[in-house]
Amino acid sequence: GAVVSQHPSRVICKSGTSVKIECRSLDFQATTMFWYRQFPKKSLMLMATSNEGSKATYEQGVEKDKFLINHASLTLSTLTVTSAHPEDSSFYICSARDGDRESSYNSPLHFGNGTRLTVT
Amino acid sequence: RKEVEQDPGPFNVPEGATVAFNCTYSNSASQSFFWYRQDCRKEPKLLMSVYSSGNEDGRFTAQLNRASQYISLLIRDSKLSDSATYLCVVDPEGHSGTYKYIFGTGTRLKVLA
């Protein structure tokens, strides 16, 4: 099945630093990837939709200058949390759909294993 | 009204029991529906897609009710390993060629020995 790899799985950084998270589709091409954030005991919240070769589409309330998304190839999207603060500590998960292999409808998301970010 | 709503639970059931969860969605034009399972501090994993005619995978049965705008998940003969949070996912925009998957808050299931 489709595999999505996310790296790093865990990162601890100091306040004010930037953190880059990578999301790769290993055995399929992903023109669209999605970035989610999940706080403890809360639902996954869509942050942005990453489109290969174009600008990401951010959800309302998500600062595009704070969460930089780059989708330079069909297999790689990156999320950079700039000038991280303790309130950015969360579980960040990327996902992608294999639009080429699966039919347009009912094409499920395949998730990376997530990145647990702790900002001290 | 939230786009996707689920009863957060928890549902505590004995082993062997049958349990059902519902999930309501607000956009009547939604085309794609899924159930995911999420274990504590892990990423969600696809459990099953939900098809218009309903579908079954072993002990799991998913149904779609378009008239009332909800999907359901039925788990028969519950196992201890079924304990997890079950997430309902709806794509309200897939019909337009773009995709935007919306997650419910999840329903927590705990199967007791």
Side-chain angles (χ1 to χ4, degrees), chain A residues 7-57:
Chain A
H7 178 80
S9 58
R10 181 181 294 269
V11 59
I12 300 173
C13 70
K14 292 190 175 180
S15 191
T17 59
S18 295
V19 175
K20 180 187 273 190
I21 303 169
E22 290 188 351
C23 180
R24 294 181 186 274
S25 56
L26 296 187
D27 54 354
F28 66 99
Q29 293 183 330
T31 52
T32 305
M33 290 185 173
F34 304 88
W35 287 96
Y36 290 85
R37 178 168 54 182
Q38 186 177 36
F39 292 105
K41 299 189 178 181
K42 298 290 184 183
S43 179
L44 276 80
M45 296 300 297
L46 180 64
M47 298 176 66
T49 302
S50 170
N51 305 298
E52 187 267 336
S54 64
K55 291 183 180 179
T57 304

Side-chain angles (χ1 to χ4, degrees), chain B residues 13-103:
Chain B
V13 303
E15 248 185 312
T18 295
V19 61
F21 312 131
N22 281 347
C23 166
T24 59
Y25 59 95
S26 61
N27 189 329
S28 60
S30 298
Q31 295 289 335
S32 302
F33 310 89
F34 311 92
W35 283 104
Y36 279 76
R37 169 197 170 125
Q38 186 175 27
D39 293 292
C40 190
R41 299 173 75 82
K42 298 283 188 184
E43 77 279 15
K45 292 191 186 298
L46 178 67
L47 183 64
M48 57 199 305
S49 301
V50 185
Y51 299 114
S52 298
S53 54
N55 46 302
E56 189 175 304
D57 183 2
R59 298 182 293 109
F60 300 86
T61 301
Q63 296 274 355
L64 167 63
N65 185 316
R66 285 196 184 276
S68 301
Q69 294 181 209
Y70 74 86
I71 64 171
S72 64
L73 177 68
L74 181 82
I75 305 175
R76 288 182 297 278
D77 188 23
S78 300
K79 312 287 184 194
L80 293 175
S81 57
D82 293 334
S83 298
T85 297
Y86 290 84
L87 302 167
C88 164
V89 182
V90 176
D91 178 10
E93 296 184 10
H95 65 286
S96 66
T98 59
Y99 300 91
K100 180 177 176 178
Y101 298 78
I102 305 297
F103 282 75

Side-chain angles (χ1 to χ4, degrees), chain A residues 43-106:
Chain A
S43 179
L44 276 80
M45 296 300 297
L46 180 64
M47 298 176 66
T49 302
S50 170
N51 305 298
E52 187 267 336
S54 64
K55 291 183 180 179
T57 304
Y58 289 81
E59 294 302 299
Q60 195 171 17
V62 178
E63 301 172 58
K64 58 182 70 175
D65 294 331
K66 170 100 177 143
F67 299 100
L68 301 179
I69 291 173
N70 184 281
H71 194 154
S73 78
L74 286 170
T75 59
L76 174 64
S77 175
T78 60
L79 168 68
T80 301
V81 183
T82 62
S83 187
H85 291 286
E87 58 265 30
D88 298 323
S89 299
S90 187
F91 190 47
Y92 293 86
I93 315 176
C94 72
S95 64
R97 56 181 297 277
D98 184 0
D100 291 334
R101 188 186 306 176
E102 293 149 342
S103 62
S104 296
Y105 297 135
N106 269 343

